[in-house]
Amino acid sequence: MLHKKGNSFHRECEGRVSASEYRQAISAALSQELGGAGQAAKATMRWTGASERTAKNWISASYGPTAEYLIELMRHSDTVLAVVLELAGRNEAMTTERLKRVKAELADVLKTLDAICAAECDQKAE
């Protein structure tokens, strides 16, 4: 189950993932990331091109997305990506991805700070 604070999905047992567990995990991830059912359905439809009924079925955990739709959900949702990796027993893959993302964001922040410092130095020199 996904907790309100954080996005870890704790599996009750190791081994093969049941269809029910898969449906519940995807439903919880979409609900956590996208909010209410109507809002979540609209975003899910935009991301995947699925019909409204299909998106609502995923959110209600009546059905789970097939591979093609799951890939699109993972492309747009870090929460869905993290849940799928955890279900697959590959939590470390998400950690590596997060570190890459943080490193890129820090590089952008440093560039911005360098630009601000350079502009201030130019103003003081005048």
Side-chain angles (χ1 to χ4, degrees):
M1 165 134 321
L2 289 172
H3 302 284
K4 291 188 181 196
K5 293 184 179 183
N7 56 356
S8 76
F9 180 77
H10 298 288
R11 296 201 49 219
E12 293 177 14
C13 62
E14 294 302 317
R16 186 177 171 108
V17 177
S18 72
S20 174
E21 185 177 15
Y22 169 69
R23 292 190 311 265
Q24 291 295 326
I26 297 301
S27 170
L30 291 171
S31 297
Q32 179 183 351
E33 185 158 332
L34 301 173
Q39 183 180 354
K42 288 178 185 175
T44 301
M45 290 165 53
R46 267 193 322 273
W47 290 349
T48 63
S51 71
E52 182 176 7
R53 174 61 14 226
T54 297
K56 287 181 177 182
N57 281 337
W58 298 338
I59 294 161
S60 70
S62 299
Y63 296 94
T66 58
E68 296 86 356
Y69 288 125
L70 181 60
I71 290 167
E72 289 304 314
L73 290 172
M74 292 167 57
R75 182 185 323 275
H76 291 91
S77 169
D78 288 341
T79 306
V80 172
L81 175 61
V83 164
V84 170
L85 289 172
E86 188 156 340
L87 288 173
R90 302 291 306 268
N91 300 3
E92 71 282 354
M94 191 63 189
T95 302
T96 302
E97 186 60 36
R98 283 185 184 150
L99 288 174
K100 288 178 187 176
R101 212 173 314 123
V102 167
K103 184 178 176 183
E105 289 174 14
L106 284 173
D108 288 343
V109 168
L110 289 174
K111 286 179 189 176
T112 303
L113 287 174
D114 286 344
I116 291 169
C117 289
E120 287 181 8
C121 288
D122 288 345
Q123 286 178 350
K124 288 181 181 177
E126 294 175 0

